[in-house]
Amino acid sequence: MSVTPLAAHLSTRPAAAFRGRIGRDARSGHYAVPGRYRLHLTAGDPDCLRIAVTHSLLRLDKACPITWLPAVPDRPDGGHSALRPLYDASAHRYTGPALAPVLSDDWSGRIVSSHGPDIARDLAAHGEMGAPADEDRGRPGGGRPTLYPCGAQSQIEAVERMCAQGIEEAAQRAGAAGTEEGERAAALDTLLTTLAVLERGLGAHAYLISNQITAADIELWVALVQLDTVHRHHLDAATVHRVADHPALWAYARRLAAHTAFGAHLDLDAIARRHHARCQGLEAAGAAVQILDWETHAAAGSMVHPQVKPF
């Protein structure tokens, strides 16, 4: 599928406090080695969901373990108490909230990065941190997928912008309380136009930009999860029906939900609790019009590879 980038626009993601990267050798300070790094994720957060899916696809369970945090932060500033020592050790007199996701360095006890997209890219770029399973020994890349294929970077970045601006941000503005009717209509038009572009592409292809799963598919799948489990609660029923009227797109979302690496991390209860704890908008009639039965479709993946998330 050919993807045309959207115009530059502010990201909906909050600014990250730490932007370190995993390099390729010792000179980088943070180099790829099994067992050195740890992820700190919270169920229900879209950035954490992207990272968790990437982590599972790359089979990094032993090489880079995950510490799961509560879906709803327990500090008044919106941060996690469990992450506070890491933040304090990583920045002198840090005053901001201790947010997930976090990639930490167990050797130094400090944070490498709290920027979700960078973390996912570094995991994909340095999949050698994980030893291949027995059945994958001798296969290129240890049997792990190539999430960022050579020459596809611009298309993946275009999908990221489409999801952030054309789906998530547009859906938020279309359902925002107190917004002028014209602005909501324009946002809805952006949302539907974006979905139509994706629908046309997926009508002829199984995945977005390759014949296998890439980072673009992870990005779009998480955006569709958010659209149906979070944003539709603030849209009217007629709008949700128009959003649902993209059969190829939602069949794609349903198919990926049944994939082990995707469905095993889909915690609908955590998404709902996080949404209700943060949301200040008004619920609309679209809340009653569920597009996909995510729990049913994700059950196959969860049963194959269950994830235990302590709360």
Side-chain angles (χ1 to χ4, degrees):
M1 172 182 173
S2 178
V3 179
T4 302
L6 295 177
H9 197 283
L10 292 176
S11 172
T12 58
R13 294 187 175 104
F18 300 92
R19 291 289 299 270
R21 303 298 298 269
I22 298 178
R24 294 188 177 277
D25 53 47
R27 291 173 296 177
S28 68
H30 295 111
Y31 56 95
V33 58
R36 177 175 181 178
Y37 302 101
R38 177 178 300 273
L39 289 166
H40 305 259
L41 306 178
T42 176
D45 174 80
D47 266 350
C48 291
L49 180 55
R50 293 181 187 95
I51 293 169
V53 172
T54 300
H55 181 271
S56 287
L57 285 169
L58 296 172
R59 305 181 186 183
L60 294 175
D61 301 66
K62 294 181 179 179
C64 182
I66 297 176
T67 294
W68 287 99
L69 303 164
V72 180
D74 57 347
R75 290 179 61 91
D77 62 1
H80 293 273
S81 295
L83 290 178
R84 195 71 220 181
L86 271 175
Y87 272 79
D88 289 341
S90 305
H92 182 59
R93 295 182 179 178
Y94 178 78
T95 58
L99 302 174
V102 162
L103 176 68
S104 67
D105 179 355
D106 280 353
W107 290 4
S108 67
R110 296 185 178 183
I111 294 172
V112 177
S113 178
S114 59
H115 186 262
D118 284 354
I119 293 172
R121 290 188 187 100
D122 283 353
L123 292 178
H126 303 290
E128 68 271 17
M129 288 191 298
D134 290 341
E135 65 270 21
D136 292 327
R137 295 187 186 280
R139 296 172 60 186
R144 292 178 293 270
T146 303
L147 299 181
Y148 290 86
C150 182
Q153 185 64 32
S154 62
Q155 286 187 290
I156 292 173
E157 291 174 353
V159 171
E160 290 173 349
R161 287 191 293 271
M162 289 178 74
C163 291
Q165 301 164 29
I167 298 179
E168 296 192 36
E169 184 179 312
Q172 288 175 356
R173 289 189 286 113
T179 305
E180 293 185 2
E181 181 63 32
E183 185 175 347
R184 289 199 302 272
L188 176 58
D189 182 66
T190 297
L191 173 61
L192 294 175
T193 298
T194 302
L195 296 179
V197 170
L198 294 165
E199 173 75 10
R200 288 194 295 272
L202 289 170
H205 301 89
Y207 303 108
L208 278 176
I209 61 174
S210 178
N211 59 358
Q212 66 170 21
I213 292 171
T214 67
D217 298 295
I218 300 172
E219 191 76 24
L220 175 56
W221 184 76
V222 173
L224 293 175
V225 169
Q226 288 291 108
L227 180 57
D228 191 23
T229 63
V230 174
H231 301 312
R232 72 171 169 82
H233 288 271
H234 306 293
L235 302 173
D236 60 55
T239 295
V240 176
H241 283 298
R242 295 176 70 186
V243 168
D245 190 22
H246 297 85
L249 187 62
W250 292 107
Y252 159 90
R254 183 170 59 246
R255 178 162 45 86
L256 288 183
H259 188 293
T260 303
F262 290 76
H265 295 291
L266 187 54
D267 190 329
L268 300 176
D269 178 66
I271 293 173
R273 285 190 284 125
R274 180 179 183 273
H275 173 60
H276 292 310
R278 293 161 50 95
C279 180
Q280 298 178 349
L282 300 176
E283 186 170 291
V289 187
Q290 186 179 29
I291 299 174
L292 288 188
D293 184 351
W294 294 97
E295 186 171 7
T296 297
H297 301 311
S302 297
M303 288 187 291
V304 171
H305 185 64
Q307 294 288 325
V308 179
K309 303 179 177 68
F311 291 97

